[in-house]
Amino acid sequence: MSKSLDTEKLEREVKAVYRDVATAPDGAFHFEMGRVLADRLGYPPADLDRIPEEALESFAGVGYHFDLARLQPGDDVLDLGSGSGTDAFVAALHVGETGSVTGLDMTDEQLEKARELRDAAGMERVSFENGYIEDLPFEDASFDVVISNGVVNLSAEKDRVFEEVSRVLEPDGRLAISDIISERRLSENVKTDADLWAACIGGAEQVDDYTTLIEMPGFDVIEVRENSQYEFTSEQAQGACQKYGVKSVSLEAHKHERGKP
């Protein structure tokens, strides 16, 4: 990560974008949103039919990874960057009455919307907390599974994110995420542009570097698959995709005990 990236500006830009995602989902963004996107990415229609429609309006994910998460009844799940709640609500369908889902987000408007939808739907086993993915406000070994969708690329401290994920997962915990990566390393002028970071471009890590960051705190990367059905919508974002091979992937990783293969 370049030291010349203004991380305070980045946080302001990201919050501004996702404030609008929550409150004005019909606006113009660098990325597609909504149920049509979720359908194309592979979310089962039967799941989408059972979650709040207004959450789906603000869905801005980049892939589908619930098959990789292999959620079971009774699992305790953490959703990093939960937004208006689509993935948290889908997860709740799979963990049942004996499981729990905790969403974490730093944008007040997203949290407010998700909580209102949760209350209206009566999903008592779902909670939404305010916080940062680089500094998780949870005890060690609190969760069985961590999920995330198009969020880790927005962090300027991805190494810290995966260290924290490892900390809060049970010893045999699972990580299943979709995110934006690149085939080639981005140029410095792209990596230091807070606007491009907020658009999910500037923070795209080269794929081998990305998997290394996951493996360092004690994960085995099981599968990485490309989401060819995901496309950026703006010319600026499409240009970065063509030049650097920026794309969406879904990834599964399992935590292992330190010192063991």
Side-chain angles (χ1 to χ4, degrees):
M1 194 256 315
S2 171
K3 294 181 180 179
S4 57
L5 175 68
D6 186 339
T7 54
E8 291 185 0
K9 180 183 179 184
L10 171 61
E11 181 178 330
R12 291 195 302 270
E13 294 278 351
V14 170
K15 283 186 174 180
V17 169
Y18 289 92
R19 181 183 305 120
D20 291 342
V21 166
T23 61
D26 293 332
F29 299 94
H30 287 280
F31 42 81
E32 189 179 353
M33 290 168 48
R35 169 136 191 182
V36 172
L37 171 63
D39 281 323
R40 194 168 70 249
L41 292 177
Y43 282 75
D47 283 356
L48 300 181
D49 288 343
R50 296 173 63 195
I51 67 172
E53 184 177 345
E54 290 180 56
L56 268 171
E57 292 175 358
S58 295
F59 172 72
V62 302
Y64 179 76
H65 47 263
F66 281 96
D67 55 330
L68 303 178
R70 298 179 173 85
L71 299 182
Q72 302 294 323
D75 278 344
D76 294 314
V77 179
L78 172 62
D79 181 13
L80 301 181
S82 49
S84 293
T86 292
D87 277 2
F89 295 136
V90 170
L93 301 178
H94 294 270
V95 303
E97 294 298 320
T98 58
S100 70
V101 181
T102 302
L104 183 79
D105 208 277
M106 68 176 184
T107 304
D108 292 339
E109 290 80 3
Q110 293 274 35
L111 289 165
E112 181 180 359
K113 182 173 184 176
R115 288 165 177 163
E116 289 177 354
L117 295 174
R118 181 268 320 274
D119 292 345
M123 291 185 164
E124 298 178 356
R125 301 291 292 172
V126 181
S127 64
F128 294 99
E129 307 297 334
N130 192 314
Y132 293 85
I133 62 175
E134 302 87 356
D135 186 18
L136 299 177
F138 308 110
E139 299 293 326
D140 295 357
S142 298
F143 300 98
D144 301 297
V145 185
V146 172
I147 60 175
S148 185
N149 202 335
V151 173
V152 178
N153 75 90
L154 296 171
S155 174
E157 297 179 285
K158 296 177 181 64
D159 54 346
R160 180 62 181 163
V161 173
F162 293 121
E163 288 170 2
E164 281 287 271
V165 169
S166 179
R167 180 183 66 78
V168 302
L169 273 175
E170 293 278 2
D172 59 348
R174 308 185 298 284
L175 172 67
I177 60 178
S178 297
D179 208 8
I180 301 299
I181 55 86
S182 64
E183 295 175 355
R184 295 173 290 284
R185 291 184 176 90
L186 304 182
S187 67
E188 285 302 303
N189 65 318
V190 173
K191 291 171 67 176
T192 56
D193 187 327
D195 293 331
L196 282 177
W197 275 74
C200 297
I201 297 293
E205 200 77 42
Q206 194 272 340
V207 61
D208 294 327
D209 296 341
Y210 191 94
T211 55
T212 296
L213 289 172
I214 295 174
E215 291 166 346
M216 286 177 63
F219 286 99
D220 295 315
V221 175
I222 305 301
E223 180 177 350
V224 181
R225 71 179 182 216
E226 182 176 345
N227 299 316
S228 58
Q229 54 288 58
Y230 184 78
E231 297 179 355
F232 289 97
T233 57
S234 73
E235 289 186 13
Q236 184 183 32
Q238 289 171 357
C241 294
Q242 294 172 0
K243 186 171 183 178
Y244 298 104
V246 175
K247 60 186 179 182
S248 165
V249 298
S250 292
L251 179 150
E252 173 188 2
H254 294 180
K255 183 177 174 180
H256 62 74
E257 295 182 37
R258 288 187 184 272
K260 292 187 177 182

mmCIF file of all heavy atoms in Angstrom, residues 5-31:
data_model
loop_
_atom_site.group_PDB
_atom_site.id
_atom_site.type_symbol
_atom_site.label_atom_id
_atom_site.label_comp_id
_atom_site.label_asym_id
_atom_site.label_seq_id
_atom_site.Cartn_x
_atom_site.Cartn_y
_atom_site.Cartn_z
ATOM 1 N N LEU A 5 -1.394 7.458 -0.061
ATOM 2 C CA LEU A 5 -2.852 7.388 -0.069
ATOM 3 C C LEU A 5 -3.399 8.108 1.157
ATOM 4 O O LEU A 5 -2.980 7.845 2.276
ATOM 5 C CB LEU A 5 -3.315 5.936 -0.068
ATOM 6 C CG LEU A 5 -4.830 5.715 0.046
ATOM 7 C CD1 LEU A 5 -5.539 6.202 -1.208
ATOM 8 C CD2 LEU A 5 -5.141 4.253 0.319
ATOM 9 N N ASP A 6 -4.313 9.021 0.934
ATOM 10 C CA ASP A 6 -4.951 9.754 2.027
ATOM 11 C C ASP A 6 -6.066 8.884 2.595
ATOM 12 O O ASP A 6 -7.179 8.856 2.067
ATOM 13 C CB ASP A 6 -5.500 11.083 1.496
ATOM 14 C CG ASP A 6 -6.063 11.969 2.598
ATOM 15 O OD1 ASP A 6 -6.393 11.440 3.676
ATOM 16 O OD2 ASP A 6 -6.186 13.182 2.361
ATOM 17 N N THR A 7 -5.770 8.164 3.678
ATOM 18 C CA THR A 7 -6.738 7.197 4.205
ATOM 19 C C THR A 7 -7.948 7.877 4.840
ATOM 20 O O THR A 7 -9.039 7.311 4.852
ATOM 21 C CB THR A 7 -6.066 6.264 5.227
ATOM 22 O OG1 THR A 7 -5.431 7.049 6.246
ATOM 23 C CG2 THR A 7 -5.024 5.387 4.543
ATOM 24 N N GLU A 8 -7.764 9.085 5.374
ATOM 25 C CA GLU A 8 -8.914 9.806 5.926
ATOM 26 C C GLU A 8 -9.871 10.215 4.813
ATOM 27 O O GLU A 8 -11.093 10.104 4.962
ATOM 28 C CB GLU A 8 -8.444 11.030 6.706
ATOM 29 C CG GLU A 8 -7.719 10.689 8.006
ATOM 30 C CD GLU A 8 -7.364 11.919 8.814
ATOM 31 O OE1 GLU A 8 -7.691 13.044 8.359
ATOM 32 O OE2 GLU A 8 -6.776 11.768 9.892
ATOM 33 N N LYS A 9 -9.308 10.668 3.695
ATOM 34 C CA LYS A 9 -10.160 10.997 2.552
ATOM 35 C C LYS A 9 -10.843 9.739 2.021
ATOM 36 O O LYS A 9 -12.023 9.772 1.657
ATOM 37 C CB LYS A 9 -9.337 11.649 1.432
ATOM 38 C CG LYS A 9 -10.188 12.013 0.218
ATOM 39 C CD LYS A 9 -9.370 12.589 -0.928
ATOM 40 C CE LYS A 9 -10.261 12.920 -2.120
ATOM 41 N NZ LYS A 9 -9.490 13.385 -3.292
ATOM 42 N N LEU A 10 -10.085 8.633 2.005
ATOM 43 C CA LEU A 10 -10.658 7.374 1.545
ATOM 44 C C LEU A 10 -11.878 7.006 2.374
ATOM 45 O O LEU A 10 -12.927 6.643 1.827
ATOM 46 C CB LEU A 10 -9.610 6.262 1.621
ATOM 47 C CG LEU A 10 -10.129 4.835 1.378
ATOM 48 C CD1 LEU A 10 -10.728 4.702 -0.013
ATOM 49 C CD2 LEU A 10 -9.008 3.832 1.591
ATOM 50 N N GLU A 11 -11.773 7.102 3.696
ATOM 51 C CA GLU A 11 -12.906 6.762 4.550
ATOM 52 C C GLU A 11 -14.097 7.672 4.262
ATOM 53 O O GLU A 11 -15.237 7.196 4.178
ATOM 54 C CB GLU A 11 -12.519 6.866 6.027
ATOM 55 C CG GLU A 11 -13.662 6.486 6.957
ATOM 56 C CD GLU A 11 -13.279 6.539 8.424
ATOM 57 O OE1 GLU A 11 -12.092 6.317 8.742
ATOM 58 O OE2 GLU A 11 -14.176 6.800 9.250
ATOM 59 N N ARG A 12 -13.840 8.961 4.085
ATOM 60 C CA ARG A 12 -14.936 9.888 3.768
ATOM 61 C C ARG A 12 -15.597 9.526 2.445
ATOM 62 O O ARG A 12 -16.824 9.543 2.313
ATOM 63 C CB ARG A 12 -14.412 11.326 3.715
ATOM 64 C CG ARG A 12 -13.980 11.896 5.055
ATOM 65 C CD ARG A 12 -13.828 13.403 4.986
ATOM 66 N NE ARG A 12 -12.862 13.823 3.978
ATOM 67 C CZ ARG A 12 -11.560 13.990 4.214
ATOM 68 N NH1 ARG A 12 -11.067 13.761 5.426
ATOM 69 N NH2 ARG A 12 -10.743 14.393 3.247
ATOM 70 N N GLU A 13 -14.767 9.210 1.434
ATOM 71 C CA GLU A 13 -15.298 8.859 0.109
ATOM 72 C C GLU A 13 -16.140 7.586 0.167
ATOM 73 O O GLU A 13 -17.227 7.512 -0.405
ATOM 74 C CB GLU A 13 -14.140 8.678 -0.878
ATOM 75 C CG GLU A 13 -13.353 9.939 -1.190
ATOM 76 C CD GLU A 13 -14.025 10.794 -2.236
ATOM 77 O OE1 GLU A 13 -15.008 10.324 -2.845
ATOM 78 O OE2 GLU A 13 -13.564 11.925 -2.457
ATOM 79 N N VAL A 14 -15.622 6.584 0.862
ATOM 80 C CA VAL A 14 -16.339 5.312 0.946
ATOM 81 C C VAL A 14 -17.664 5.493 1.675
ATOM 82 O O VAL A 14 -18.709 4.989 1.244
ATOM 83 C CB VAL A 14 -15.466 4.244 1.636
ATOM 84 C CG1 VAL A 14 -16.285 2.988 1.939
ATOM 85 C CG2 VAL A 14 -14.277 3.890 0.759
ATOM 86 N N LYS A 15 -17.628 6.212 2.795
ATOM 87 C CA LYS A 15 -18.868 6.444 3.534
ATOM 88 C C LYS A 15 -19.881 7.212 2.691
ATOM 89 O O LYS A 15 -21.090 6.931 2.735
ATOM 90 C CB LYS A 15 -18.575 7.201 4.828
ATOM 91 C CG LYS A 15 -17.979 6.330 5.924
ATOM 92 C CD LYS A 15 -17.838 7.105 7.227
ATOM 93 C CE LYS A 15 -17.383 6.198 8.357
ATOM 94 N NZ LYS A 15 -17.231 6.932 9.644
ATOM 95 N N ALA A 16 -19.401 8.195 1.902
ATOM 96 C CA ALA A 16 -20.309 8.974 1.057
ATOM 97 C C ALA A 16 -20.970 8.089 0.007
ATOM 98 O O ALA A 16 -22.180 8.187 -0.242
ATOM 99 C CB ALA A 16 -19.556 10.121 0.389
ATOM 100 N N VAL A 17 -20.171 7.228 -0.617
ATOM 101 C CA VAL A 17 -20.722 6.338 -1.636
ATOM 102 C C VAL A 17 -21.772 5.420 -1.035
ATOM 103 O O VAL A 17 -22.884 5.282 -1.561
ATOM 104 C CB VAL A 17 -19.602 5.509 -2.301
ATOM 105 C CG1 VAL A 17 -20.204 4.388 -3.157
ATOM 106 C CG2 VAL A 17 -18.710 6.400 -3.161
ATOM 107 N N TYR A 18 -21.450 4.788 0.095
ATOM 108 C CA TYR A 18 -22.349 3.780 0.636
ATOM 109 C C TYR A 18 -23.488 4.386 1.445
ATOM 110 O O TYR A 18 -24.499 3.727 1.681
ATOM 111 C CB TYR A 18 -21.546 2.724 1.396
ATOM 112 C CG TYR A 18 -20.777 1.887 0.401
ATOM 113 C CD1 TYR A 18 -19.478 2.214 0.039
ATOM 114 C CD2 TYR A 18 -21.397 0.841 -0.267
ATOM 115 C CE1 TYR A 18 -18.797 1.484 -0.934
ATOM 116 C CE2 TYR A 18 -20.733 0.109 -1.233
ATOM 117 C CZ TYR A 18 -19.433 0.439 -1.560
ATOM 118 O OH TYR A 18 -18.783 -0.270 -2.542
ATOM 119 N N ARG A 19 -23.368 5.639 1.819
ATOM 120 C CA ARG A 19 -24.523 6.382 2.333
ATOM 121 C C ARG A 19 -25.563 6.508 1.224
ATOM 122 O O ARG A 19 -26.760 6.279 1.446
ATOM 123 C CB ARG A 19 -24.081 7.762 2.812
ATOM 124 C CG ARG A 19 -25.197 8.619 3.399
ATOM 125 C CD ARG A 19 -24.671 9.996 3.788
ATOM 126 N NE ARG A 19 -23.535 9.894 4.707
ATOM 127 C CZ ARG A 19 -22.316 10.371 4.455
ATOM 128 N NH1 ARG A 19 -22.059 10.996 3.313
ATOM 129 N NH2 ARG A 19 -21.352 10.242 5.342
ATOM 130 N N ASP A 20 -25.081 6.831 0.033
ATOM 131 C CA ASP A 20 -26.001 6.944 -1.104
ATOM 132 C C ASP A 20 -26.570 5.586 -1.510
ATOM 133 O O ASP A 20 -27.730 5.487 -1.934
ATOM 134 C CB ASP A 20 -25.288 7.585 -2.296
ATOM 135 C CG ASP A 20 -24.968 9.051 -2.077
ATOM 136 O OD1 ASP A 20 -25.577 9.668 -1.176
ATOM 137 O OD2 ASP A 20 -24.098 9.590 -2.799
ATOM 138 N N VAL A 21 -25.758 4.543 -1.403
ATOM 139 C CA VAL A 21 -26.238 3.194 -1.705
ATOM 140 C C VAL A 21 -27.442 2.852 -0.821
ATOM 141 O O VAL A 21 -28.416 2.242 -1.271
ATOM 142 C CB VAL A 21 -25.110 2.159 -1.510
ATOM 143 C CG1 VAL A 21 -25.665 0.735 -1.477
ATOM 144 C CG2 VAL A 21 -24.082 2.286 -2.628
ATOM 145 N N ALA A 22 -27.377 3.273 0.452
ATOM 146 C CA ALA A 22 -28.469 2.984 1.382
ATOM 147 C C ALA A 22 -29.683 3.847 1.131
ATOM 148 O O ALA A 22 -30.823 3.365 1.148
ATOM 149 C CB ALA A 22 -27.985 3.172 2.821
ATOM 150 N N THR A 23 -29.449 5.151 0.885
ATOM 151 C CA THR A 23 -30.568 6.102 0.853
ATOM 152 C C THR A 23 -31.071 6.413 -0.544
ATOM 153 O O THR A 23 -32.209 6.854 -0.694
ATOM 154 C CB THR A 23 -30.146 7.412 1.541
ATOM 155 O OG1 THR A 23 -29.028 7.987 0.835
ATOM 156 C CG2 THR A 23 -29.745 7.164 2.987
ATOM 157 N N ALA A 24 -30.250 6.214 -1.563
ATOM 158 C CA ALA A 24 -30.650 6.540 -2.940
ATOM 159 C C ALA A 24 -30.158 5.463 -3.898
ATOM 160 O O ALA A 24 -29.314 5.714 -4.766
ATOM 161 C CB ALA A 24 -30.092 7.909 -3.340
ATOM 162 N N PRO A 25 -30.649 4.229 -3.740
ATOM 163 C CA PRO A 25 -30.141 3.123 -4.550
ATOM 164 C C PRO A 25 -30.393 3.253 -6.047
ATOM 165 O O PRO A 25 -29.788 2.513 -6.833
ATOM 166 C CB PRO A 25 -30.867 1.900 -3.971
ATOM 167 C CG PRO A 25 -32.080 2.452 -3.300
ATOM 168 C CD PRO A 25 -31.678 3.784 -2.778
ATOM 169 N N ASP A 26 -31.251 4.202 -6.449
ATOM 170 C CA ASP A 26 -31.499 4.416 -7.876
ATOM 171 C C ASP A 26 -30.497 5.378 -8.498
ATOM 172 O O ASP A 26 -30.589 5.689 -9.691
ATOM 173 C CB ASP A 26 -32.917 4.959 -8.098
ATOM 174 C CG ASP A 26 -33.977 3.928 -7.751
ATOM 175 O OD1 ASP A 26 -33.682 2.722 -7.862
ATOM 176 O OD2 ASP A 26 -35.087 4.328 -7.352
ATOM 177 N N GLY A 27 -29.529 5.860 -7.712
ATOM 178 C CA GLY A 27 -28.552 6.817 -8.212
ATOM 179 C C GLY A 27 -27.542 6.189 -9.151
ATOM 180 O O GLY A 27 -27.574 4.989 -9.444
ATOM 181 N N ALA A 28 -26.592 7.018 -9.616
ATOM 182 C CA ALA A 28 -25.556 6.568 -10.547
ATOM 183 C C ALA A 28 -24.309 6.156 -9.754
ATOM 184 O O ALA A 28 -23.783 6.928 -8.954
ATOM 185 C CB ALA A 28 -25.209 7.684 -11.525
ATOM 186 N N PHE A 29 -23.847 4.932 -9.992
ATOM 187 C CA PHE A 29 -22.673 4.408 -9.300
ATOM 188 C C PHE A 29 -21.731 3.771 -10.315
ATOM 189 O O PHE A 29 -22.100 3.540 -11.461
ATOM 190 C CB PHE A 29 -23.084 3.369 -8.248
ATOM 191 C CG PHE A 29 -23.992 3.918 -7.174
ATOM 192 C CD1 PHE A 29 -25.384 3.811 -7.298
ATOM 193 C CD2 PHE A 29 -23.470 4.534 -6.053
ATOM 194 C CE1 PHE A 29 -26.216 4.314 -6.312
ATOM 195 C CE2 PHE A 29 -24.304 5.040 -5.062
ATOM 196 C CZ PHE A 29 -25.670 4.933 -5.193
ATOM 197 N N HIS A 30 -20.500 3.459 -9.856
ATOM 198 C CA HIS A 30 -19.533 2.753 -10.694
ATOM 199 C C HIS A 30 -19.890 1.278 -10.830
ATOM 200 O O HIS A 30 -19.249 0.550 -11.572
ATOM 201 C CB HIS A 30 -18.126 2.851 -10.095
ATOM 202 C CG HIS A 30 -17.495 4.199 -10.241
ATOM 203 N ND1 HIS A 30 -16.893 4.617 -11.405
ATOM 204 C CD2 HIS A 30 -17.373 5.220 -9.369
ATOM 205 C CE1 HIS A 30 -16.409 5.835 -11.239
ATOM 206 N NE2 HIS A 30 -16.692 6.229 -10.013
ATOM 207 N N PHE A 31 -20.861 0.838 -10.062
ATOM 208 C CA PHE A 31 -21.186 -0.579 -9.999
ATOM 209 C C PHE A 31 -22.691 -0.774 -10.072
ATOM 210 O O PHE A 31 -23.471 0.115 -9.757
ATOM 211 C CB PHE A 31 -20.649 -1.187 -8.698
ATOM 212 C CG PHE A 31 -20.859 -0.311 -7.486
ATOM 213 C CD1 PHE A 31 -22.075 -0.279 -6.824
ATOM 214 C CD2 PHE A 31 -19.830 0.494 -7.022
ATOM 215 C CE1 PHE A 31 -22.270 0.530 -5.718
ATOM 216 C CE2 PHE A 31 -20.012 1.304 -5.906
ATOM 217 C CZ PHE A 31 -21.234 1.325 -5.259
#
